[in-house]
Amino acid sequence: MALTTRLTQKLGIEHPIISAPMAFAAGGTLAAAVTAAGGFGIIGGGYGEPDWLEREFAAAGNARVGCGFITWSLARHPRVLDAVLAHAPAAIMLSFGDPMPFAPAIKAAHALLICQVQAMKHAREAVDAGADIIVAQGAEAGGHGSLRATFTLVPEIADYLARVAPETLLVAAGGVADGRGLAAALMLGADGVLVGSRFWASKEAIVPERFQQAAVGADGDATIRTSVVDIVRKKEWPAEFTARVMKNRFVDDWHGREAALASAENAAHELDRYSRAWQAGDIDNTGVFVGEAAGLIHDVRPAGDIIGGIVAQAERALARSRTAT
Amino acid sequence: MALTTRLTQKLGIEHPIISAPMAFAAGGTLAAAVTAAGGFGIIGGGYGEPDWLEREFAAAGNARVGCGFITWSLARHPRVLDAVLAHAPAAIMLSFGDPMPFAPAIKAAHALLICQVQAMKHAREAVDAGADIIVAQGAEAGGHGSLRATFTLVPEIADYLARVAPETLLVAAGGVADGRGLAAALMLGADGVLVGSRFWASKEAIVPERFQQAAVGADGDATIRTSVVDIVRKKEWPAEFTARVMKNRFVDDWHGREAALASAENAAHELDRYSRAWQAGDIDNTGVFVGEAAGLIHDVRPAGDIIGGIVAQAERALARSRTAT
């Protein structure tokens, strides 16, 4: 069976599943594996590091993939977009900032414009920028996000799009890690899903195995939204966005004491410890970026297996509804 | 058509929809109307005010309803439970605290024990207390709640119950305001839904019309989780629980300045203003308790109409899934 939606038709894919452009974790190998399995893979352009992007586009080979950026960071290094567009990506995804300045170049390159939004005010900006696809991202998502929840944001944006931009597609993100999440997202009015944490815990992700195993062993209560992982790295995120990470020694010490962390007295020492722990796969002293869906993830598998599992489970959930009514 | 689930069978109702026991807002008239329309209505026992409860049970007449309590408050006034059990409610719902001390009396009175939980740790307590039904409440809910989201909490608890207590039913709460939400909740593994904000905006709710109209006119970005509405009222909520209310003058002034609000200098004046505004239906200077679902609510209707609309829309959403696959 296949779940045919407007998203599968628009992207020319088999399953309505997109992999999230997770900064540092979603490289070309993961994106290519997702596309090969019938989804659509997106390389995590993150803060826009040119060498990393060249390497990961090379790793993706000839696979049809997209690339995602942190919009406020891209605004400081706009030439990175040109370098990526030279690879002829099928889509560019922009999150966390006004997409308008970048829309013309993306459309001129015949890439689809995917805008990830966290609130109604962002959805209105995305429509104004001419987004082909809007990703509604709830606060349960791992990594950066904001406060609205997937369960209300998706149907509210669906209603908005039906009114003002019915040709614009809608994808649900945040908390989607299995087939139940895909089926639920379709019920809420989405045309498909964008999946982060579940692919973060895949064989192809660029994530230390100890980070993945920590998430596999945790329940969904184990994560928190905080800005301490940005403060320590001197990433100047707008206040409305925080990062969901696992609670650990580092977060327990500094969450609620942000000013002290930023102080000259502590900043250098903590950044050094944070960076060394990141390299070493030390889960206690760095940022382990994963969502509430940690509680739904019980193994680390190849991305293709993950897609197959999501689709099969969604089909079963939808089939059960037929017998229930 | 009818959506038959384990919940409709367990409660002997037609539709898998429960109305939330919203303190002060969910009186006997609303609960009776929900039951009359084929759902299950629950009176909001709140902090346990005996006179209010007697009046509202009288208003419910002979309708088969339940009653819900704020558990940590009930622990301070345990006799209120006996007074309510004397009305032979079909169920008692406990939220926000350890249900264990009250479970024996509830079971002895042959009332079903419904435990609302906000995290996996609460779900484990609820199973230990012998809950017949667990309500998984996400942070998008109006009024009191915690941090986990409906979209991840429901399937994670479904998995947990399948493993340790397969006879225990699961209900989704938080962000469910229409038929898409009901259909999505069923996909996530719930047996039904508990609906708050949508019934708060019903004709039968005990809510000033100006509060309802403010929510009807708002989008879902208009609410926030905060403790300032509890601090001003001297309600000693455990720190893990906050209240979702509309952003307004009062919240803007004090959210982030909780210690100043609690200070002797400000507390009396603000409490006086808050209380007068509550009585007067002044939406700027009091707590307007409603969830992110405000963005999905566009009118104030009778509870029976609301239930009919939810069921019809859920049926349509599920029916569309049949043609899509």
Side-chain angles (χ1 to χ4, degrees):
Chain A
M1 284 195 284
L3 276 168
T4 301
T5 72
R6 295 198 303 171
L7 187 71
T8 59
Q9 293 164 347
K10 183 90 167 182
L11 287 172
I13 55 180
E14 191 180 356
H15 309 300
I17 299 171
I18 299 174
S19 63
M22 299 169 281
F24 311 118
T29 304
L30 174 59
V34 168
T35 294
F40 183 70
I42 308 187
I43 292 173
Y47 301 90
E49 214 289 314
D51 294 345
W52 191 93
L53 278 164
E54 289 304 316
R55 190 184 78 204
E56 297 306 329
F57 266 96
N62 293 319
R64 189 163 163 277
V65 300
C67 185
F69 290 104
I70 296 165
T71 315
W72 65 261
S73 182
L74 185 62
R76 298 181 182 187
H77 314 282
R79 287 189 190 166
V80 175
L81 179 60
D82 300 327
V84 162
L85 288 176
H87 290 284
I92 294 290
M93 177 165 150
L94 300 176
S95 312
F96 315 117
D98 184 2
M100 188 72 86
F102 308 103
I106 293 165
K107 302 229 163 204
H110 304 291
L112 291 170
L113 173 59
I114 306 177
C115 292
Q116 182 169 267
V117 306
Q118 292 77 29
M120 290 309 296
K121 64 176 174 174
H122 305 142
R124 291 186 277 268
E125 284 178 355
V127 167
D128 291 346
D132 298 293
I133 299 170
I134 289 180
V135 178
Q137 183 204 31
E140 44 273 75
H144 285 91
S146 193
L147 294 172
R148 292 289 310 271
T150 301
F151 210 90
T152 64
L153 188 59
V154 171
E156 189 173 352
I157 294 183
D159 289 340
Y160 176 67
L161 293 180
R163 217 161 53 235
V164 305
E167 300 302 313
T168 305
L169 273 56
L170 178 60
V171 167
V176 183
D178 62 24
R180 293 172 295 188
L182 170 54
L186 297 177
M187 291 299 108
L188 291 174
D191 300 297
V193 294
L194 180 132
V195 174
S197 297
R198 177 64 273 205
F199 287 123
W200 177 93
S202 71
K203 295 285 188 193
E204 293 88 347
I206 308 170
V207 175
E209 197 180 331
R210 273 196 280 176
F211 287 17
Q212 294 175 323
Q213 290 305 329
V216 164
D219 69 24
D221 297 358
T223 73
I224 185 175
R225 287 214 152 274
T226 184
S227 61
V228 296
V229 292
D230 296 325
I231 291 170
V232 74
R233 296 181 299 161
K234 306 186 196 307
K235 300 290 189 192
E236 296 171 330
W237 278 83
E240 68 181 303
F241 303 116
T242 53
R244 185 173 292 284
V245 294
M246 291 190 72
K247 298 171 191 168
N248 62 8
R249 194 287 309 171
F250 172 72
V251 173
D252 290 348
D253 274 7
W254 296 110
H255 184 70
R257 299 202 304 134
E258 288 76 8
L261 175 59
S263 74
E265 180 179 14
N266 295 313
H269 173 261
E270 284 297 320
L271 175 58
D272 181 57
R273 181 152 71 164
Y274 182 100
S275 303
R276 279 189 290 114
W278 178 275
Q279 293 297 332
D282 167 4
I283 61 169
D284 289 326
N285 295 299
T286 193
V288 180
F289 288 67
V290 67
E292 285 188 14
L296 302 171
I297 299 171
H298 307 298
D299 53 20
V300 176
R301 300 165 62 192
D305 286 5
I306 290 169
I307 290 180
I310 291 175
V311 172
Q313 192 185 26
E315 285 289 348
R316 286 197 303 273
L318 292 165
R320 265 198 305 275
S321 81
R322 282 162 224 159
T323 61
T325 55
Chain B
M1 285 196 283
L3 277 169
T4 301
T5 73
R6 296 196 303 171
L7 187 71
T8 58
Q9 293 162 349
K10 184 90 168 180
L11 288 172
I13 56 180
E14 191 179 356
H15 309 302
I17 300 170
I18 300 174
S19 63
M22 299 169 282
F24 311 118
T29 304
L30 174 59
V34 169
T35 294
F40 183 70
I42 308 187
I43 292 173
Y47 301 90
E49 214 288 314
D51 294 345
W52 191 93
L53 278 164
E54 289 303 316
R55 189 184 79 203
E56 296 306 329
F57 265 96
N62 293 321
R64 188 163 163 276
V65 299
C67 185
F69 291 104
I70 296 164
T71 315
W72 65 260
S73 182
L74 185 63
R76 298 179 182 188
H77 314 283
R79 287 187 189 167
V80 174
L81 179 59
D82 300 327
V84 161
L85 288 175
H87 290 284
I92 295 290
M93 176 165 150
L94 300 176
S95 313
F96 315 117
D98 184 4
M100 187 73 86
F102 307 103
I106 294 165
K107 303 231 163 202
H110 304 291
L112 291 170
L113 173 59
I114 305 176
C115 293
Q116 182 169 265
V117 306
Q118 291 78 28
M120 290 308 297
K121 64 176 174 174
H122 304 142
R124 292 186 276 266
E125 285 179 356
V127 167
D128 291 345
D132 298 293
I133 299 169
I134 289 180
V135 178
Q137 183 204 30
E140 45 273 74
H144 286 91
S146 191
L147 293 173
R148 291 290 310 269
T150 301
F151 209 90
T152 65
L153 188 60
V154 170
E156 189 174 352
I157 295 182
D159 289 340
Y160 176 67
L161 293 179
R163 217 162 52 235
V164 305
E167 301 301 314
T168 305
L169 273 56
L170 178 61
V171 167
V176 184
D178 61 25
R180 293 173 295 189
L182 170 54
L186 298 177
M187 292 299 109
L188 292 174
D191 301 297
V193 294
L194 180 131
V195 174
S197 297
R198 177 64 273 204
F199 287 123
W200 176 94
S202 70
K203 294 285 188 194
E204 293 88 348
I206 308 170
V207 175
E209 196 180 330
R210 273 196 280 175
F211 287 16
Q212 294 174 324
Q213 290 305 329
V216 164
D219 68 25
D221 297 357
T223 73
I224 186 174
R225 288 215 151 273
T226 185
S227 61
V228 297
V229 292
D230 296 325
I231 291 169
V232 72
R233 295 181 300 161
K234 305 186 197 304
K235 300 290 190 192
E236 296 169 331
W237 278 82
E240 67 181 305
F241 303 116
T242 53
R244 186 174 291 284
V245 294
M246 290 189 73
K247 297 171 191 168
N248 62 9
R249 193 286 310 169
F250 172 72
V251 173
D252 290 347
D253 274 7
W254 296 111
H255 183 70
R257 300 203 303 135
E258 288 75 9
L261 175 59
S263 73
E265 178 178 16
N266 294 312
H269 172 260
E270 283 298 319
L271 175 57
D272 181 58
R273 181 151 72 163
Y274 182 100
S275 304
R276 280 188 290 114
W278 178 274
Q279 294 297 332
D282 167 3
I283 60 168
D284 289 327
N285 294 299
T286 193
V288 180
F289 287 67
V290 68
E292 285 189 15
L296 302 171
I297 299 171
H298 307 299
D299 53 20
V300 175
R301 300 164 62 192
D305 286 5
I306 290 170
I307 289 179
I310 291 174
V311 172
Q313 192 184 26
E315 285 289 349
R316 286 198 302 274
L318 292 165
R320 265 199 306 274
S321 81
R322 281 162 224 159
T323 61
T325 56

